[in-house]
Amino acid sequence: MGVEERRQQLIGVALDLFSRRSPDEVSIDEIASAAGISRPLVYHYFPGKLSLYEAALQRASDDLAARFVEPREGPLGARLLRVMGRYFDFVDEHGPGFSALMRGGPAVGSSTTNALVDSVRQAAYVQILSHLDVTEPPARLELVVRSWISLAESTALLWLDGRRIPRAELEAQLVHDFAALLAVSAAYDEETGALLRRVIADEPADGPFADLVGRLTGFMD
């Protein structure tokens, strides 16, 4: 293999191992064995496990950020539901690695790791604003979007501990959570209120936002 081809192979092998077990439980020897090469050859391409871990995180963070990309077509609720489906696909496929990244793995505290996590959050933030057709969000709307992204992260981490709630229900609940956060903010801010009215006007009667309204109305009967 060429140098770059071998590097990419090692990153792929490491990402697969880190996805199935916490990165601090994976050794260089295991990575070398899975790649079919010697331990010294791994060190020829990467100076240590930390650098290989960070390279694997770069690939994973690019993948995770791409999960938030969605064509701006159709009602917002359906778009967010598709985004959550892809987000949980990633969490499902890379559970231990996702957990280690968010809770702190061998690279905890490293500026590279922190920057990668922040880049995913920022990519998600930009995409959600794009779906809302907003370029300069008021302070309350920024709070809503960033709070929701944090909520999605913490929900995914809790779900990984036993998966006690059906995944599809959590995906729908997170879409409902976004609508609820937006509604609460709208009660305090007219600009957010105008945005909420525009969003609701485009929602079909069988969409996730309408489903939330139906569920809440049931408590008031």
Side-chain angles (χ1 to χ4, degrees):
M1 290 186 183
V3 173
E4 185 57 28
E5 188 179 4
R6 177 66 78 183
R7 277 179 54 84
Q8 292 306 315
Q9 182 217 14
L10 284 171
I11 291 170
V13 167
L15 181 57
D16 180 61
L17 290 171
F18 293 151
S19 295
R20 289 187 272 114
R21 291 180 16 237
S22 179
D24 57 356
E25 298 174 358
V26 178
S27 69
I28 288 291
D29 287 332
E30 286 181 87
I31 295 170
S33 177
I37 62 176
S38 66
R39 176 189 176 99
L41 192 54
V42 175
Y43 284 112
H44 175 73
Y45 292 98
F46 295 93
K49 188 170 78 169
L50 177 58
S51 64
L52 183 51
Y53 176 66
E54 290 178 343
L57 285 185
Q58 178 68 68
R59 181 181 292 185
S61 65
D62 291 343
D63 182 3
L64 184 54
R67 307 285 172 125
F68 286 89
V69 178
E70 172 74 22
R72 290 172 53 186
E73 301 172 357
L76 178 64
R79 280 182 264 162
L80 291 181
L81 194 57
R82 289 192 292 270
V83 167
M84 285 296 95
R86 290 194 298 270
Y87 182 78
F88 271 85
D89 281 345
F90 181 94
V91 173
D92 218 354
E93 295 163 10
H94 304 283
F98 177 85
S99 181
L101 172 61
M102 296 304 175
R103 288 176 171 155
V108 64
S110 105
S111 58
T112 300
T113 303
N114 292 338
L116 288 173
V117 174
D118 287 342
S119 72
V120 173
R121 291 169 178 156
Q122 183 62 22
Y125 174 72
V126 170
Q127 284 298 319
I128 299 305
L129 289 184
S130 175
H131 289 306
L132 295 172
D133 197 21
V134 173
T135 54
E136 297 184 8
R140 290 187 188 277
L141 180 59
E142 180 177 357
L143 180 62
V144 165
V145 177
R146 294 198 185 278
S147 296
W148 182 70
I149 292 168
S150 295
L151 178 61
E153 286 179 13
S154 58
T155 298
L157 287 170
L158 288 170
W159 178 72
L160 284 171
D161 287 337
R163 309 184 186 215
R164 292 173 294 171
I165 300 174
R167 177 184 142 176
E169 290 183 14
L170 276 186
E171 292 169 8
Q173 183 176 320
L174 279 166
V175 175
H176 291 168
D177 287 334
F178 183 84
L181 287 169
L182 195 61
V184 171
S185 181
Y188 292 88
D189 178 63
E190 178 54 36
E191 194 171 354
T192 307
L195 173 62
L196 179 62
R197 285 189 289 272
R198 174 163 58 82
V199 167
I200 291 176
D202 293 334
E203 289 294 312
D206 61 348
F209 288 176
D211 176 53
L212 173 61
V213 172
R215 291 172 182 267
L216 293 176
T217 301
F219 287 110
M220 302 175 186
D221 292 339

PDB file of all heavy atoms in Angstrom, residues 107-124:
ATOM      1  N   ALA A 107      -8.059  10.618  25.107  1.00  0.00           N
ATOM      2  CA  ALA A 107      -7.625  11.937  24.637  1.00  0.00           C
ATOM      3  C   ALA A 107      -8.334  13.062  25.370  1.00  0.00           C
ATOM      4  O   ALA A 107      -8.341  14.196  24.914  1.00  0.00           O
ATOM      5  CB  ALA A 107      -7.877  12.050  23.131  1.00  0.00           C
ATOM      6  N   VAL A 108      -8.960  12.736  26.506  1.00  0.00           N
ATOM      7  CA  VAL A 108      -9.704  13.775  27.219  1.00  0.00           C
ATOM      8  C   VAL A 108      -8.771  14.925  27.563  1.00  0.00           C
ATOM      9  O   VAL A 108      -7.648  14.734  27.998  1.00  0.00           O
ATOM     10  CB  VAL A 108     -10.372  13.209  28.485  1.00  0.00           C
ATOM     11  CG1 VAL A 108      -9.346  12.730  29.491  1.00  0.00           C
ATOM     12  CG2 VAL A 108     -11.278  14.263  29.122  1.00  0.00           C
ATOM     13  N   GLY A 109      -9.245  16.114  27.341  1.00  0.00           N
ATOM     14  CA  GLY A 109      -8.457  17.299  27.643  1.00  0.00           C
ATOM     15  C   GLY A 109      -7.573  17.733  26.508  1.00  0.00           C
ATOM     16  O   GLY A 109      -7.012  18.826  26.538  1.00  0.00           O
ATOM     17  N   SER A 110      -7.398  16.896  25.478  1.00  0.00           N
ATOM     18  CA  SER A 110      -6.546  17.294  24.371  1.00  0.00           C
ATOM     19  C   SER A 110      -7.267  18.355  23.549  1.00  0.00           C
ATOM     20  O   SER A 110      -8.470  18.278  23.328  1.00  0.00           O
ATOM     21  CB  SER A 110      -6.172  16.092  23.506  1.00  0.00           C
ATOM     22  OG  SER A 110      -6.860  16.061  22.298  1.00  0.00           O
ATOM     23  N   SER A 111      -6.519  19.338  23.101  1.00  0.00           N
ATOM     24  CA  SER A 111      -7.130  20.422  22.329  1.00  0.00           C
ATOM     25  C   SER A 111      -7.708  19.900  21.024  1.00  0.00           C
ATOM     26  O   SER A 111      -8.737  20.382  20.554  1.00  0.00           O
ATOM     27  CB  SER A 111      -6.090  21.512  22.051  1.00  0.00           C
ATOM     28  OG  SER A 111      -4.976  20.988  21.354  1.00  0.00           O
ATOM     29  N   THR A 112      -7.074  18.881  20.442  1.00  0.00           N
ATOM     30  CA  THR A 112      -7.571  18.306  19.195  1.00  0.00           C
ATOM     31  C   THR A 112      -8.922  17.652  19.400  1.00  0.00           C
ATOM     32  O   THR A 112      -9.862  17.862  18.629  1.00  0.00           O
ATOM     33  CB  THR A 112      -6.573  17.259  18.641  1.00  0.00           C
ATOM     34  OG1 THR A 112      -5.324  17.889  18.390  1.00  0.00           O
ATOM     35  CG2 THR A 112      -7.103  16.634  17.365  1.00  0.00           C
ATOM     36  N   THR A 113      -9.047  16.849  20.457  1.00  0.00           N
ATOM     37  CA  THR A 113     -10.308  16.166  20.741  1.00  0.00           C
ATOM     38  C   THR A 113     -11.417  17.170  21.026  1.00  0.00           C
ATOM     39  O   THR A 113     -12.525  17.060  20.502  1.00  0.00           O
ATOM     40  CB  THR A 113     -10.148  15.216  21.941  1.00  0.00           C
ATOM     41  OG1 THR A 113      -9.096  14.293  21.670  1.00  0.00           O
ATOM     42  CG2 THR A 113     -11.435  14.459  22.195  1.00  0.00           C
ATOM     43  N   ASN A 114     -11.122  18.144  21.866  1.00  0.00           N
ATOM     44  CA  ASN A 114     -12.132  19.154  22.194  1.00  0.00           C
ATOM     45  C   ASN A 114     -12.580  19.906  20.953  1.00  0.00           C
ATOM     46  O   ASN A 114     -13.771  20.207  20.780  1.00  0.00           O
ATOM     47  CB  ASN A 114     -11.579  20.134  23.229  1.00  0.00           C
ATOM     48  CG  ASN A 114     -11.350  19.485  24.584  1.00  0.00           C
ATOM     49  OD1 ASN A 114     -11.948  18.455  24.893  1.00  0.00           O
ATOM     50  ND2 ASN A 114     -10.480  20.078  25.387  1.00  0.00           N
ATOM     51  N   ALA A 115     -11.634  20.207  20.066  1.00  0.00           N
ATOM     52  CA  ALA A 115     -11.971  20.929  18.839  1.00  0.00           C
ATOM     53  C   ALA A 115     -12.851  20.086  17.931  1.00  0.00           C
ATOM     54  O   ALA A 115     -13.768  20.604  17.283  1.00  0.00           O
ATOM     55  CB  ALA A 115     -10.694  21.331  18.101  1.00  0.00           C
ATOM     56  N   LEU A 116     -12.601  18.775  17.889  1.00  0.00           N
ATOM     57  CA  LEU A 116     -13.421  17.897  17.056  1.00  0.00           C
ATOM     58  C   LEU A 116     -14.850  17.826  17.570  1.00  0.00           C
ATOM     59  O   LEU A 116     -15.809  17.891  16.797  1.00  0.00           O
ATOM     60  CB  LEU A 116     -12.811  16.494  17.011  1.00  0.00           C
ATOM     61  CG  LEU A 116     -11.531  16.336  16.188  1.00  0.00           C
ATOM     62  CD1 LEU A 116     -10.945  14.948  16.379  1.00  0.00           C
ATOM     63  CD2 LEU A 116     -11.806  16.605  14.725  1.00  0.00           C
ATOM     64  N   VAL A 117     -15.011  17.688  18.885  1.00  0.00           N
ATOM     65  CA  VAL A 117     -16.351  17.645  19.472  1.00  0.00           C
ATOM     66  C   VAL A 117     -17.081  18.960  19.206  1.00  0.00           C
ATOM     67  O   VAL A 117     -18.251  18.982  18.813  1.00  0.00           O
ATOM     68  CB  VAL A 117     -16.280  17.360  20.986  1.00  0.00           C
ATOM     69  CG1 VAL A 117     -17.665  17.458  21.616  1.00  0.00           C
ATOM     70  CG2 VAL A 117     -15.689  15.986  21.238  1.00  0.00           C
ATOM     71  N   ASP A 118     -16.378  20.057  19.402  1.00  0.00           N
ATOM     72  CA  ASP A 118     -16.986  21.370  19.157  1.00  0.00           C
ATOM     73  C   ASP A 118     -17.351  21.554  17.689  1.00  0.00           C
ATOM     74  O   ASP A 118     -18.362  22.194  17.363  1.00  0.00           O
ATOM     75  CB  ASP A 118     -16.035  22.485  19.595  1.00  0.00           C
ATOM     76  CG  ASP A 118     -15.935  22.601  21.107  1.00  0.00           C
ATOM     77  OD1 ASP A 118     -16.831  22.081  21.801  1.00  0.00           O
ATOM     78  OD2 ASP A 118     -14.958  23.212  21.592  1.00  0.00           O
ATOM     79  N   SER A 119     -16.550  20.983  16.784  1.00  0.00           N
ATOM     80  CA  SER A 119     -16.835  21.136  15.359  1.00  0.00           C
ATOM     81  C   SER A 119     -18.120  20.411  14.982  1.00  0.00           C
ATOM     82  O   SER A 119     -18.883  20.886  14.130  1.00  0.00           O
ATOM     83  CB  SER A 119     -15.664  20.614  14.521  1.00  0.00           C
ATOM     84  OG  SER A 119     -15.579  19.199  14.552  1.00  0.00           O
ATOM     85  N   VAL A 120     -18.382  19.267  15.608  1.00  0.00           N
ATOM     86  CA  VAL A 120     -19.632  18.541  15.351  1.00  0.00           C
ATOM     87  C   VAL A 120     -20.818  19.350  15.858  1.00  0.00           C
ATOM     88  O   VAL A 120     -21.831  19.498  15.166  1.00  0.00           O
ATOM     89  CB  VAL A 120     -19.610  17.151  16.024  1.00  0.00           C
ATOM     90  CG1 VAL A 120     -20.972  16.477  15.898  1.00  0.00           C
ATOM     91  CG2 VAL A 120     -18.536  16.278  15.398  1.00  0.00           C
ATOM     92  N   ARG A 121     -20.679  19.888  17.063  1.00  0.00           N
ATOM     93  CA  ARG A 121     -21.769  20.692  17.624  1.00  0.00           C
ATOM     94  C   ARG A 121     -22.038  21.930  16.771  1.00  0.00           C
ATOM     95  O   ARG A 121     -23.190  22.308  16.543  1.00  0.00           O
ATOM     96  CB  ARG A 121     -21.419  21.106  19.057  1.00  0.00           C
ATOM     97  CG  ARG A 121     -21.409  19.948  20.034  1.00  0.00           C
ATOM     98  CD  ARG A 121     -20.808  20.332  21.360  1.00  0.00           C
ATOM     99  NE  ARG A 121     -20.851  19.224  22.312  1.00  0.00           N
ATOM    100  CZ  ARG A 121     -20.033  19.091  23.345  1.00  0.00           C
ATOM    101  NH1 ARG A 121     -19.085  20.000  23.555  1.00  0.00           N
ATOM    102  NH2 ARG A 121     -20.138  18.052  24.165  1.00  0.00           N
ATOM    103  N   GLN A 122     -20.969  22.557  16.291  1.00  0.00           N
ATOM    104  CA  GLN A 122     -21.146  23.756  15.470  1.00  0.00           C
ATOM    105  C   GLN A 122     -21.772  23.411  14.125  1.00  0.00           C
ATOM    106  O   GLN A 122     -22.631  24.147  13.616  1.00  0.00           O
ATOM    107  CB  GLN A 122     -19.804  24.461  15.264  1.00  0.00           C
ATOM    108  CG  GLN A 122     -19.877  25.764  14.484  1.00  0.00           C
ATOM    109  CD  GLN A 122     -20.727  26.828  15.171  1.00  0.00           C
ATOM    110  OE1 GLN A 122     -20.948  26.784  16.386  1.00  0.00           O
ATOM    111  NE2 GLN A 122     -21.217  27.789  14.399  1.00  0.00           N
ATOM    112  N   ALA A 123     -21.365  22.289  13.543  1.00  0.00           N
ATOM    113  CA  ALA A 123     -21.950  21.855  12.272  1.00  0.00           C
ATOM    114  C   ALA A 123     -23.438  21.579  12.439  1.00  0.00           C
ATOM    115  O   ALA A 123     -24.252  21.952  11.574  1.00  0.00           O
ATOM    116  CB  ALA A 123     -21.235  20.611  11.758  1.00  0.00           C
ATOM    117  N   ALA A 124     -23.803  20.936  13.551  1.00  0.00           N
ATOM    118  CA  ALA A 124     -25.215  20.678  13.819  1.00  0.00           C
ATOM    119  C   ALA A 124     -25.976  21.985  13.995  1.00  0.00           C
ATOM    120  O   ALA A 124     -27.087  22.153  13.465  1.00  0.00           O
ATOM    121  CB  ALA A 124     -25.353  19.810  15.071  1.00  0.00           C
TER     122      ALA A 124
END
